[in-house]
Amino acid sequence: AAVARQVAFWSPDLDFRSVIEDMSEALPHELDFRHERRALDRAGEVLRRAGSPCVVPRVHADLFGPHIFVMDFVDATPIVNLADPEYCEAHSLEKYTILRSLLEAFGTMAFKDGLFHSDPHAGNIRLLLDPSSPGGARPVIFDWGLHKQFTDDERLGVAKVFYSLANLDVVGLFDALGNLGFSFKPEMVTDEFRREFLEKARSAMKDTVSRETARANVRHEMREYKERLDRAAQDGAPLQGSYSPIYFLEELPKCVVSFM
């Protein structure tokens, strides 16, 4: 938190204090396995009721405590194997069908139930080969130490944000953000800002690209960012056109920080 405050002071465009504050609240829960066990039990029940093929390991009720628990062993392989055409062919896997079931599972948990897994990286999602399941395998979702509980208002609000983005609905987007608790600085919210904000937000929904393309995009964005910093320094004025929240927000809801 102290480092984040210093970074924000010296470079306001890199203000991650909201993220750090939310993580500071979540980390103690991650270290208490009783919280994780409750999330595992709930997520498993939600997905079973929804008819999802995804697997959430079962915790043994007589083998758990604050600092340890025992789950069922699931003999699963890395989810990244789906990127290997030879692996998919050898096991008769339909990767898009499998990934669709995974996305639907996260949608069910976040938007229907309100429980959101906050750490879904490739190490926490594995693949259980099962010829009887859609696509030939079942995604397995591990490590529920970091999770977030959305209220009904937050759950519906985040859903409306994505709906508005998908339909290029500027008015609907800003109404949904306002209902979630976003407080924009009035002087920043022009028609041009609204349009550009929608475009930037929609970029988060773009299709996955290769590692090389992703790195090239990051390098390009960093060059643009440094050029804007240089121009601002030369003009002796604050950085304009920034999309760091500190420039256009008075408050950032924590539910959105977790979702991001």
Side-chain angles (χ1 to χ4, degrees):
V3 173
R5 287 194 296 270
Q6 288 296 316
V7 171
F9 176 81
W10 292 107
S11 184
D13 205 47
L14 298 174
D15 185 359
F16 297 106
R17 285 176 294 178
S18 295
V19 178
I20 298 301
E21 289 172 4
D22 195 56
M23 289 182 64
S24 297
E25 294 179 5
L27 284 176
H29 287 174
E30 186 179 18
L31 299 176
D32 186 339
F33 285 173
R34 292 172 297 184
H35 292 279
E36 183 170 357
R37 186 229 170 153
R38 285 193 287 269
L40 280 158
D41 290 346
R42 177 175 168 182
E45 178 61 26
V46 167
L47 293 181
R48 282 191 294 272
R49 288 202 311 265
S52 171
C54 294
V55 176
V56 176
R58 183 177 64 91
V59 178
H60 292 258
D62 55 341
L63 296 172
F64 91 98
H67 308 298
I68 189 171
F69 65 43
V70 177
M71 297 185 298
D72 285 344
F73 174 74
V74 182
D75 188 11
T77 64
I79 189 76
V80 293
N81 284 342
L82 289 177
D84 183 352
E86 294 182 359
Y87 183 88
C88 291
E89 183 178 358
H91 296 280
S92 301
L93 301 181
E94 299 176 8
K95 65 178 179 181
Y96 293 112
T97 300
I98 297 168
L99 292 174
R100 186 181 299 113
S101 68
L102 178 62
L103 291 175
E104 288 175 350
F106 272 88
T108 297
M109 290 183 293
F111 297 122
K112 289 187 176 181
D113 180 73
L115 180 66
F116 182 72
H117 190 302
S118 300
D119 197 21
H121 59 77
N124 287 340
I125 311 292
R126 295 181 69 82
L127 201 62
L128 175 62
L129 298 177
D130 182 357
S132 65
S133 291
R138 305 173 67 187
V140 185
I141 308 174
F142 292 100
D143 194 354
W144 287 81
L146 281 177
H147 62 274
K148 186 75 174 181
Q149 172 60 51
F150 288 165
T151 66
D152 285 346
D153 288 341
E154 290 170 343
R155 177 174 56 84
L156 295 174
V158 173
K160 288 178 180 178
V161 167
F162 280 92
Y163 181 84
S164 299
L165 289 174
N167 289 277
L168 296 172
D169 183 356
V170 176
V171 175
L173 173 63
F174 278 82
D175 283 347
L177 292 174
N179 291 335
L180 280 172
F182 279 85
S183 179
F184 290 88
K185 297 177 180 178
E187 67 274 14
M188 294 291 296
V189 187
T190 62
D191 288 342
E192 180 182 2
F193 171 82
R194 289 173 181 264
R195 289 192 298 270
E196 292 184 358
F197 184 89
L198 175 65
E199 180 182 344
K200 291 286 187 181
R202 275 179 60 86
S203 68
M205 301 174 65
K206 63 188 177 183
D207 292 338
T208 301
V209 296
S210 68
R211 181 181 301 177
E212 293 73 20
T213 301
R215 287 175 175 172
N217 290 341
V218 170
R219 285 194 292 266
H220 175 72
E221 292 173 359
M222 287 304 299
R223 282 196 299 270
E224 286 189 338
Y225 172 69
K226 290 177 181 178
E227 289 172 1
R228 289 192 292 117
L229 282 177
D230 291 340
R231 287 196 299 269
Q234 293 172 3
D235 296 339
L239 181 62
Q240 300 297 318
S242 171
Y243 284 87
S244 172
I246 193 172
Y247 284 96
F248 58 81
L249 283 179
E250 294 177 345
E251 185 173 357
L252 180 65
K254 289 184 177 181
C255 69
V256 176
V257 172
S258 293
F259 201 94
M260 295 167 61

